């Protein structure tokens, strides 16, 4: 499978200017491609093909005075921008026909130079490389300092340079993982686990282990409110407002990074220790429209489950999602008696059928494990149902490695 390994970049002033020009050229080509398709559709003519758009919007545009500055960016960057536009339309039409899984996607929109995220992509034919000194050499940009935290497990096939809302730069390498190396890294286990996700405790395991919720957003609220107030007082368009905006973006980035790191550590620990995992398919979009919306978003359940999905596929583990309508909090895990819904303030109760004292969260985790078919594995039943395919995800990283990262 393919994964992305992200590393922090530290370009100097000249390299930041070159990256800014490359971002702008890629954005203009993307917008020109959208405009060409929209004009053709409005005129009732045929939709231009990718080759025609490449000739008109890149090759011929470079010869004009209005678009002569496109030469300042690598041709591969401009071609990949056109490919992104084609992919966006393809995803839109497949989603419109119901052929694409996930939420319904809208039509591609024009990119703004004030967008929170800017990116360009270099493929192998762009002749980028990692130097012997550990720097990233990019065409028409230079050799950029990289903060490595690990060695790349395989030669990367492409690299995407990203600038986020906080003004940070990242290099995202696409890596083809080695199944044999992954199997040696995490050998098979005979353990299984059922997980109940919550707010007071982020995760409750069927053995009674409760993992506290860090509540990263709640802990940073005071700092965020102060930064947001300072931003609202600055005059629009001023340099001080841009400084205040960066301060707010960096505060939010710290919260998101801390949450992502917590999810990575916990998901890797669960995948390493268990051969099969049962988890509930929560209706996060519905819960995010209730009074608990801020706490639900702060927990980040969807991101955590997505990490479990792709890591389970990578390391040949089994992840089973049970339906969201399974009454895990209404069923006794000892006798399977269902005694109806209960208010959230009731955390313990006694089963009227067998008299067992039940903890709400631990009882739910055990019922998740039962519903996933993992509770009987100790009796010889198989613990490897059909595996769930994983999606690509971003493997974040921080720190310096003990040696160079050139693969």
């Amino acid at each position: 499978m393919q994964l992305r390994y992200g590393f922090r970049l530290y370009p100097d002033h000249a390299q930041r200017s070159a990256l800014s020009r490359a971002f702008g050229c890629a954005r203009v080509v993307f917008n020109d491609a959208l405009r060409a398709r929209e004009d053709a559709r409005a005129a009732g003519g045929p939709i231009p093909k990718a080759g025609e758009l490449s000739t008109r919007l890149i090759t011929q545009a470079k010869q004009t005075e209005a678009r002569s500055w496109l030469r300042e960016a690598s041709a591969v960057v401009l071609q990949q921008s056109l490919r992104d536009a084609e992919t966006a339309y393809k995803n839109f039409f497949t989603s419109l026909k119901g052929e694409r899984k996930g939420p319904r996607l809208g039509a591609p929109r024009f990119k703004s130079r004030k967008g929170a995220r800017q990116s360009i992509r270099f493929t192998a034919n762009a002749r980028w490389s990692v130097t012997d000194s550990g720097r990233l050499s990019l065409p028409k940009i230079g050799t950029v300092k990289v903060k490595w935290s690990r060695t790349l497990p395989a030669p990367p096939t492409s690299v995407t340079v990203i600038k986020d809302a906080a003004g940070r730069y990242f290099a995202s390498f696409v890596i083809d993982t080695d199944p044999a190396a992954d199997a040696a890294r995490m050998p098979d286990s005979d353990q299984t686990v059922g997980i109940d996700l919550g707010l007071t405790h982020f995760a409750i395991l069927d053995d009674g282990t409760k993992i506290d919720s860090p509540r990263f957003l709640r802990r940073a609220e005071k700092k965020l409110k102060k930064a947001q107030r300072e931003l609202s007082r600055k005059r629009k368009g001023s340099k001080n407002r841009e400084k205040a905006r960066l301060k707010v973006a960096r505060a939010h980035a710290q919260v998101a990074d801390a949450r992502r790191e917590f999810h990575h550590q916990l998901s890797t620990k669960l995948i390493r220790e268990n051969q099969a995992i049962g988890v509930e398919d929560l209706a996060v979009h519905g819960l995010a429209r209730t009074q608990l919306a801020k706490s639900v978003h702060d927990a980040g359940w969807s991101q955590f489950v997505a990490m479990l999905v792709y890591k389970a596929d990578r390391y040949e583990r089994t992840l089973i999602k049970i339906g969201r309508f399974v009454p895990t909090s209404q069923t006794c895990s000892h006798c399977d008696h269902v005694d109806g819904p209960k208010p959230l303030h009731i955390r313990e109760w006694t089963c009227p059928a067998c008299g067992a004292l039940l903890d709400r969260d631990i009882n739910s985790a055990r019922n998740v494990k039962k519903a996933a078919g993992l509770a009987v594995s100790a009796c010889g039943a198989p613990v490897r149902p059909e595996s769930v395919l994983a999606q690509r995800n971003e493997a974040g990283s921080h720190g310096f490695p003990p040696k160079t990262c050139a693969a």
Side-chain angles (χ1 to χ4, degrees):
M1 65 181 298
Q2 287 187 325
L3 286 179
R4 290 184 175 271
Y5 281 73
F7 301 91
R8 184 78 180 269
L9 293 180
Y10 291 93
D12 57 28
H13 180 73
Q15 292 167 350
R16 286 196 298 268
S17 299
L19 284 171
S20 179
R21 290 193 296 269
F23 292 145
C25 292
R27 182 178 62 250
V28 167
V29 170
F30 182 90
N31 291 341
D32 288 346
L34 262 61
R35 174 58 60 194
R37 292 182 64 109
E38 290 298 319
D39 291 344
R41 185 184 63 84
I47 301 299
K49 302 296 183 180
E52 179 185 349
L53 290 178
S54 176
T55 302
R56 190 204 315 174
L57 302 181
I58 298 179
T59 306
Q60 295 178 357
K62 289 181 179 179
Q63 310 303 323
T64 64
E65 184 178 356
R67 291 285 190 268
S68 59
W69 38 263
L70 289 177
R71 302 172 187 173
E72 299 178 2
S74 171
V76 174
V77 168
L78 305 182
Q79 292 290 346
Q80 292 301 312
S81 186
L82 279 181
R83 184 166 295 182
D84 290 342
E86 292 292 327
T87 302
Y89 272 106
K90 180 181 178 181
N91 292 338
F92 166 61
F93 288 124
T94 54
S95 178
L96 198 63
K97 297 175 183 177
E99 300 174 356
R100 189 179 190 275
K101 295 182 180 179
R104 181 71 63 85
L105 295 180
R109 295 180 295 181
F110 293 98
K111 293 184 178 181
S112 170
R113 65 183 180 87
K114 298 181 180 179
R117 184 181 184 273
Q118 306 284 343
S119 66
I120 53 176
R121 185 167 62 255
F122 297 89
T123 54
N125 56 353
R127 298 182 180 180
W128 63 271
S129 62
V130 178
T131 64
D132 295 336
S133 60
R135 288 177 174 258
L136 179 62
S137 178
L138 299 173
K140 296 192 176 183
I141 293 175
T143 55
V144 186
K145 181 182 176 181
V146 186
K147 186 177 181 180
W148 301 105
S149 65
R150 68 185 83 177
T151 57
L152 295 175
T157 58
S158 69
V159 59
T160 302
V161 180
I162 303 167
K163 180 183 178 182
D164 65 3
R168 304 178 301 176
Y169 293 85
F170 295 91
S172 177
F173 297 92
V174 176
I175 301 296
D176 291 316
T177 59
D178 183 7
D182 292 338
R185 181 182 177 186
M186 289 193 183
D188 289 347
S189 172
D190 58 353
Q191 301 295 321
T192 62
V193 67
I195 306 174
D196 177 65
L197 300 176
L199 296 178
T200 303
H201 296 91
F202 178 78
I204 301 91
L205 311 186
D206 64 275
D207 61 358
T209 302
K210 294 186 177 182
I211 302 170
D212 291 334
S213 179
R215 300 183 180 182
F216 297 104
L217 181 62
R218 296 288 187 180
R219 285 158 47 186
E221 270 188 326
K222 185 176 181 180
K223 178 181 179 180
L224 288 170
K225 287 181 179 178
K226 181 180 179 181
Q228 190 64 50
R229 282 198 301 267
E230 293 177 355
L231 173 62
S232 64
R233 292 167 181 164
K234 300 296 185 293
R235 181 170 57 84
K236 291 185 178 181
S238 65
K239 292 185 178 180
N240 285 336
R241 184 178 179 85
E242 178 61 19
K243 294 178 183 178
R245 187 200 64 79
L246 282 176
K247 187 175 181 180
V248 173
R250 287 166 183 161
H252 279 288
Q254 289 177 357
V255 173
D257 290 346
R259 184 189 296 114
R260 188 182 304 108
E261 182 69 15
F262 169 73
H263 289 165
H264 269 299
Q265 292 180 358
L266 180 57
S267 59
T268 301
K269 180 177 183 294
L270 293 173
I271 290 293
R272 180 185 296 112
E273 297 176 352
N274 300 278
Q275 185 65 38
I277 299 175
V279 66
E280 190 175 5
D281 185 18
L282 297 173
V284 177
H285 286 287
L287 293 171
R289 291 195 293 265
T290 65
Q291 294 180 348
L292 301 174
K294 184 180 290 187
S295 297
V296 169
H297 286 304
D298 192 12
W301 293 330
S302 296
Q303 178 178 256
F304 173 71
V305 174
M307 290 181 182
L308 286 177
V309 169
Y310 89 83
K311 291 180 182 180
D313 184 68
R314 178 180 182 182
Y315 298 111
E316 297 185 354
R317 295 320 200 227
T318 299
L319 179 69
I320 304 173
K321 293 183 181 181
I322 69 168
R324 62 188 61 172
F325 298 108
V326 177
T328 56
S329 62
Q330 305 175 22
T331 306
C332 175
S333 58
H334 293 272
C335 65
D336 295 334
H337 172 72
V338 181
D339 56 354
K342 304 168 188 62
L344 289 176
H345 69 273
I346 297 180
R347 311 312 301 176
E348 292 184 352
W349 75 93
T350 302
C351 176
C354 64
L357 180 63
L358 304 174
D359 180 278
R360 184 187 187 107
D361 297 327
I362 299 176
N363 179 72
S364 296
R366 291 171 178 171
N367 286 328
V368 168
K369 186 175 182 178
K370 280 186 178 182
L374 304 177
V376 295
S377 60
C379 302
V383 297
R384 288 198 182 203
E386 183 180 358
S387 61
V388 181
L389 293 179
Q391 298 178 351
R392 293 183 183 180
N393 213 307
E394 186 84 17
S397 55
H398 305 277
F400 290 96
K403 57 183 179 179
T404 180
C405 193

